[in-house]
Amino acid sequence: AEGGSSAHVAARPAGSGPAYETLLVTTEDDITTITLNRPAKKNAITTEMYNDIIAALDQAAKDNSVITVFTGSGDFYCSGNDLSNFTQIPEGGVEESARRGGDLLRKYVKAYIDFPKPLVAVVNGPAVGISVTVLGLFDLIYATDRATFHTPFSQLGQSAEGCSSYTFPKIMGPAKASEMLLFNKKLSAVQACELGLVTEVFPDSSFQSEVWTRLKVYAKLPPKSLSLSKQLVRSVERDRLHAVNDAEVELLKERWTSDECFNAVMAFFQAKAKL
Amino acid sequence: AEGGSSAHVAARPAGSGPAYETLLVTTEDDITTITLNRPAKKNAITTEMYNDIIAALDQAAKDNSVITVFTGSGDFYCSGNDLSNFTQIPEGGVEESARRGGDLLRKYVKAYIDFPKPLVAVVNGPAVGISVTVLGLFDLIYATDRATFHTPFSQLGQSAEGCSSYTFPKIMGPAKASEMLLFNKKLSAVQACELGLVTEVFPDSSFQSEVWTRLKVYAKLPPKSLSLSKQLVRSVERDRLHAVNDAEVELLKERWTSDECFNAVMAFFQAKAKL
Amino acid sequence: AEGGSSAHVAARPAGSGPAYETLLVTTEDDITTITLNRPAKKNAITTEMYNDIIAALDQAAKDNSVITVFTGSGDFYCSGNDLSNFTQIPEGGVEESARRGGDLLRKYVKAYIDFPKPLVAVVNGPAVGISVTVLGLFDLIYATDRATFHTPFSQLGQSAEGCSSYTFPKIMGPAKASEMLLFNKKLSAVQACELGLVTEVFPDSSFQSEVWTRLKVYAKLPPKSLSLSKQLVRSVERDRLHAVNDAEVELLKERWTSDECFNAVMAFFQAKAKL
């Protein structure tokens, strides 16, 4: 169907950069598109994918494209951190696992903070966890009306990342942000748009065609004016965002070694096993 | 009636801490509830009550509860600062009175800034003055549709406190915040919700039952994850909030000794005497 | 007609200060009103007008008025920077032109940041460019339903000013602000109000009478309480706003000497010549 996200990413022009296992990266019409491509797992992000996305963002920052788009293949945008990342305990135990996870997370969020061009999320379906929290670091967020936005941190004994502990209260005020960040409230696309987290919501049937038509027009604007304007907006907040990222990662490292988190993640896998 | 706030606070379990003259403090279902209990005076806050609330917040921070709730008994949430506080002039005159008032106010607002657990306002009716301004320091604000939000500072020759000179423009933008903070606009509950000051509005008939049902669920979430997440969000703003509190108190001390304030408060009492 | 802006500014009381070529400044009912008066050019701001507005704001800060109002005569509020400012190249070439333009812009925006009394925009029609971006520095913004808000920076190879690179994301969140600041989206008055940029929208037929009735009431409030409250709100942000102003001006100086900007402005004049 015209509305399917696979339609856009199907064409893979030559010279589109290195291939990734579970990531598609294409450049067309001055737009570099990074597509999470693990639809069978609802595009949950594995350790390998975090590293691949960092590399893809680094490449998009340097290529000739004007705008960079982040999206998902299949029905989901992204189901967040793959919780199986928690089950691969290295030598050194959970402390070492938390240290490595923290380093990777800090680097991952840093890649969004420092990204120098307009960054657009094309949210093609439900979004969970870190795929939601980093949206506060995007410039435009277009969502299908099928999208939902869910950050169930405390439910998993964890805490906010992606700079959302700062960007969400700033965008929607603490009275609304706390419902998401502390109390696991899931937002509809329309609710997220009313709260300013999402730029605009489209009917699912015309989502892809409407969004890409618009983005192709935007990508024809003066490129330096766009990138310098984006950097201007970011420059006021950059130092604070890096400090917030650091503080969030430190807390999460503590959380990942806590009983609350261990018990909550175990309960998640037990519930899954029963299905 | 099921919807009455008195229904919830009626039960006073043993071990609920010290008794206060015009404050009820109870702990039940992992929730500590601080209830302003001076309904005949619309829960206006006297000097004694400021001190009692500071003590109650300190106690709630240390007890085993997961969530702390602030509410009012009777039809009003809180009519703000009891203006009779202005009529008790100590030896040392209005300067001494302003100095003492400033010290107490700074300490009062500080107790909200530093509160370490999720803090929820259950706004059971009209809210005025400082009971409105500190809402920017709460995590969740639930309001009955009978609630209104009014900060008539300039009308009384005074100026904003409770960190609202910073939090209100941040939450709703200066174009909306100025109407409240400079020009005495009274908001309906729905308006306050649309502007992000309030989390959600409920019909008065089901307000208490809906809110408490939800809060009891929230209080079962992992406690450390909740408190640490709340502290994470607050940590980015804490220094700035303390500085704002200091600046607001300094200005108010000047205002309290000004002719504008004296004349406005006198006019208030004269109008009241005529009724 | 009662709704016409000219009705209000027609009366020019004695002692209203110096006369300007294309600016009307009047003081009445404790309100100083600065009216852009170049309706044949849609109130586009020339170099002379920037200087005159700075002088008028300086004068309004010192006079006995309580509130200062900014508005436009005719159908437009203001069409922004007069692009013919770009065609008067001084000795020293475009670099010298950019240096002078930057100095003037910095001083112009500084006048808004440091203005000590409540500042109200009465947006009587379409607003473009710098007349929109400085709105983030106003206290109240009332708009006719005929008003639109448009900041086509990247279209002209330029970048944001008036502190909008900071105030707009703060007011409406980055997801909405980027559409305006990067991608030239024009907002309706109702959209601008929903996003918090505008305080309230009125039907054009009753706009002037409703707004001025309200402002006359506001101007009777205790003057020092109003000005000190406004300065309190501003004081938290003042240093940051000056730093943002500086950064925006530096980037614009670079933009004004760039090929992207030169080509875009040339294209603008060519399109105009063809009409």
Side-chain angles (χ1 to χ4, degrees):
Chain A
E2 183 190 50
S5 64
S6 55
H8 177 78
V9 298
R12 188 80 191 291
S16 288
Y20 300 101
E21 190 78 28
T22 47
L23 214 60
L24 287 172
V25 183
T26 62
T27 300
E28 218 175 340
D29 298 318
D30 297 312
I31 301 171
T32 290
T33 302
I34 301 171
T35 307
L36 296 173
N37 193 25
R38 202 184 169 217
K41 293 287 185 182
K42 299 176 178 173
N43 297 319
I45 308 178
T46 61
T47 298
E48 184 199 7
M49 288 167 79
Y50 282 112
N51 281 309
D52 287 350
I53 295 167
I54 293 169
L57 286 171
D58 188 55
Q59 176 198 344
K62 292 173 186 159
D63 70 18
N64 289 321
S65 68
V66 176
I67 285 174
T68 301
V69 171
F70 199 91
T71 193
S73 66
D75 288 339
F76 257 68
Y77 176 66
C78 175
S79 57
N81 188 40
D82 191 320
L83 288 181
S84 72
N85 293 345
F86 284 110
T87 60
Q88 299 148 4
I89 307 297
E91 233 181 302
V94 287
E95 273 75 20
E96 176 61 16
S97 172
R99 201 190 56 75
R100 288 189 198 175
D103 286 350
L104 182 58
L105 175 61
R106 182 185 289 107
K107 208 176 146 195
Y108 183 75
V109 175
K110 189 178 182 303
Y112 288 90
I113 297 173
D114 290 335
F115 194 73
K117 299 176 182 178
L119 188 59
V120 181
V122 173
V123 185
N124 59 299
V128 181
I130 192 162
S131 74
V132 176
T133 56
V134 294
L135 290 178
L137 302 170
F138 278 67
D139 301 294
L140 294 176
I141 297 102
Y142 295 128
T144 167
D145 56 12
R146 279 199 315 106
T148 53
F149 299 85
H150 195 200
T151 52
F153 295 121
S154 69
Q155 206 171 296
L156 292 167
Q158 301 185 35
S159 54
E161 19 71 337
C163 292
S164 61
S165 69
Y166 174 67
T167 60
F168 280 27
K170 199 184 161 203
I171 292 169
M172 58 185 83
K176 311 284 191 185
S178 301
E179 277 201 307
M180 289 191 77
L181 297 178
L182 300 184
F183 299 111
N184 312 299
K185 180 171 182 176
K186 189 193 286 188
L187 297 187
S188 70
V190 168
Q191 288 173 321
C193 190
E194 283 170 356
L195 294 177
L197 185 62
V198 162
T199 305
E200 194 170 337
V201 179
F202 299 84
D204 195 56
S205 58
S206 60
F207 176 58
Q208 297 285 346
S209 61
E210 288 200 56
V211 163
W212 289 102
T213 301
R214 188 179 304 188
L215 290 176
K216 282 170 193 174
V217 173
Y218 285 175
K220 296 305 171 208
L221 288 164
K224 291 211 77 173
S225 191
L226 283 185
S227 62
L228 292 171
S229 292
K230 186 245 160 89
Q231 290 169 44
L232 175 69
V233 171
R234 179 56 44 86
S235 66
V236 202
E237 297 283 16
R238 189 185 306 274
D239 289 349
R240 190 188 287 252
L241 291 170
H242 283 306
V244 167
N245 185 23
D246 289 349
E248 289 176 347
V249 167
E250 284 313 303
L251 178 53
L252 264 174
K253 282 160 68 177
E254 183 275 332
R255 291 281 82 203
W256 288 334
T257 60
S258 72
D259 288 347
E260 276 188 2
C261 180
F262 178 83
N263 293 335
V265 172
M266 284 305 101
F268 172 86
F269 282 113
Q270 280 163 9
K272 216 175 152 187
K274 279 181 196 160
L275 294 179
Chain B
E2 182 190 52
S5 62
S6 56
H8 177 78
V9 298
R12 189 81 192 289
S16 287
Y20 300 101
E21 190 78 28
T22 48
L23 214 60
L24 288 172
V25 183
T26 61
T27 301
E28 218 175 341
D29 298 318
D30 298 310
I31 301 173
T32 290
T33 301
I34 300 171
T35 307
L36 296 173
N37 192 26
R38 203 185 169 216
K41 294 287 184 181
K42 298 175 178 172
N43 298 320
I45 308 179
T46 62
T47 298
E48 185 198 6
M49 287 166 78
Y50 283 112
N51 281 308
D52 286 351
I53 295 167
I54 294 168
L57 285 171
D58 188 55
Q59 176 198 345
K62 292 172 187 161
D63 71 17
N64 289 322
S65 67
V66 176
I67 286 175
T68 300
V69 170
F70 199 91
T71 192
S73 66
D75 287 339
F76 256 68
Y77 176 66
C78 174
S79 58
N81 189 39
D82 192 319
L83 289 181
S84 71
N85 294 345
F86 285 110
T87 61
Q88 301 149 3
I89 308 297
E91 233 181 301
V94 288
E95 273 74 21
E96 177 61 17
S97 172
R99 201 189 57 74
R100 288 189 198 172
D103 286 350
L104 182 58
L105 175 61
R106 182 186 288 108
K107 207 176 146 194
Y108 183 74
V109 175
K110 190 178 181 304
Y112 289 89
I113 297 173
D114 290 336
F115 194 73
K117 299 176 182 177
L119 187 60
V120 180
V122 173
V123 185
N124 58 299
V128 182
I130 192 163
S131 74
V132 176
T133 56
V134 294
L135 291 178
L137 302 170
F138 279 68
D139 300 295
L140 294 176
I141 297 104
Y142 294 127
T144 165
D145 55 12
R146 278 199 317 104
T148 54
F149 299 85
H150 194 201
T151 53
F153 295 121
S154 68
Q155 206 171 294
L156 291 168
Q158 301 185 34
S159 53
E161 19 72 339
C163 293
S164 62
S165 69
Y166 173 67
T167 60
F168 280 27
K170 199 186 161 202
I171 292 169
M172 56 185 84
K176 312 283 192 186
S178 300
E179 278 203 305
M180 290 191 77
L181 296 179
L182 301 184
F183 299 111
N184 312 297
K185 180 170 184 179
K186 188 193 286 189
L187 298 187
S188 69
V190 168
Q191 287 173 321
C193 190
E194 284 169 357
L195 294 177
L197 185 62
V198 162
T199 305
E200 194 169 338
V201 179
F202 300 84
D204 195 57
S205 58
S206 60
F207 176 59
Q208 296 287 345
S209 61
E210 288 198 56
V211 163
W212 289 102
T213 301
R214 189 180 304 187
L215 290 176
K216 283 171 192 173
V217 173
Y218 286 175
K220 296 303 170 209
L221 288 164
K224 291 209 75 173
S225 191
L226 282 185
S227 64
L228 292 170
S229 291
K230 186 245 159 88
Q231 291 169 43
L232 175 71
V233 171
R234 180 56 43 86
S235 66
V236 203
E237 298 284 17
R238 189 185 306 273
D239 290 348
R240 188 189 287 252
L241 291 170
H242 284 306
V244 167
N245 185 23
D246 289 349
E248 289 176 346
V249 167
E250 284 313 302
L251 179 53
L252 264 174
K253 281 160 68 179
E254 183 275 334
R255 289 283 80 202
W256 288 333
T257 61
S258 72
D259 288 346
E260 277 188 0
C261 179
F262 179 82
N263 294 334
V265 172
M266 285 304 101
F268 172 86
F269 282 113
Q270 279 163 10
K272 215 175 155 188
K274 279 182 194 156
L275 294 178
Chain C
E2 184 190 50
S5 62
S6 56
H8 177 78
V9 297
R12 190 80 190 291
S16 287
Y20 300 101
E21 192 78 28
T22 46
L23 214 59
L24 288 172
V25 183
T26 62
T27 301
E28 219 175 340
D29 298 319
D30 297 312
I31 301 172
T32 290
T33 303
I34 301 171
T35 307
L36 297 173
N37 193 25
R38 204 186 168 214
K41 293 288 185 181
K42 299 176 179 173
N43 298 320
I45 307 178
T46 62
T47 298
E48 185 198 7
M49 288 166 79
Y50 282 112
N51 281 309
D52 287 351
I53 296 166
I54 294 169
L57 285 171
D58 188 54
Q59 176 198 344
K62 292 171 186 160
D63 71 16
N64 289 321
S65 67
V66 176
I67 286 175
T68 300
V69 171
F70 199 91
T71 191
S73 66
D75 288 339
F76 256 69
Y77 176 66
C78 174
S79 57
N81 188 39
D82 191 320
L83 289 181
S84 71
N85 293 344
F86 285 110
T87 61
Q88 300 149 4
I89 307 297
E91 233 181 303
V94 289
E95 273 75 20
E96 177 60 17
S97 172
R99 201 189 55 76
R100 288 188 197 174
D103 286 351
L104 183 58
L105 175 61
R106 182 186 288 108
K107 207 177 145 195
Y108 183 74
V109 175
K110 189 178 181 304
Y112 288 91
I113 297 173
D114 289 336
F115 194 73
K117 298 175 183 178
L119 187 60
V120 180
V122 174
V123 186
N124 58 298
V128 181
I130 191 162
S131 73
V132 176
T133 56
V134 295
L135 291 178
L137 302 170
F138 279 67
D139 301 294
L140 294 176
I141 297 103
Y142 294 128
T144 168
D145 57 12
R146 278 198 316 104
T148 53
F149 299 85
H150 194 201
T151 53
F153 295 121
S154 69
Q155 206 171 294
L156 291 167
Q158 300 185 35
S159 53
E161 18 72 337
C163 293
S164 61
S165 69
Y166 174 66
T167 60
F168 280 27
K170 199 184 161 203
I171 293 168
M172 58 186 83
K176 312 283 192 185
S178 300
E179 277 202 307
M180 290 191 78
L181 297 178
L182 301 183
F183 299 110
N184 311 298
K185 179 170 183 177
K186 188 193 287 188
L187 298 187
S188 70
V190 168
Q191 288 173 321
C193 190
E194 284 169 356
L195 294 177
L197 185 61
V198 162
T199 305
E200 193 169 338
V201 179
F202 299 85
D204 195 56
S205 57
S206 60
F207 176 58
Q208 297 286 345
S209 61
E210 288 199 55
V211 163
W212 288 102
T213 301
R214 190 180 302 187
L215 290 176
K216 283 170 193 174
V217 173
Y218 285 175
K220 296 305 170 208
L221 288 165
K224 291 210 74 172
S225 190
L226 282 185
S227 62
L228 292 171
S229 291
K230 187 245 160 92
Q231 290 169 44
L232 175 70
V233 171
R234 179 58 41 88
S235 67
V236 203
E237 297 284 17
R238 190 185 305 273
D239 289 348
R240 189 189 288 253
L241 291 170
H242 283 305
V244 167
N245 185 23
D246 289 348
E248 288 176 348
V249 167
E250 284 313 301
L251 178 54
L252 264 173
K253 281 161 67 179
E254 183 275 333
R255 289 283 81 204
W256 287 333
T257 60
S258 72
D259 288 347
E260 276 188 0
C261 180
F262 179 83
N263 293 334
V265 173
M266 285 303 102
F268 172 86
F269 281 114
Q270 280 165 8
K272 216 176 154 188
K274 279 182 195 157
L275 294 179

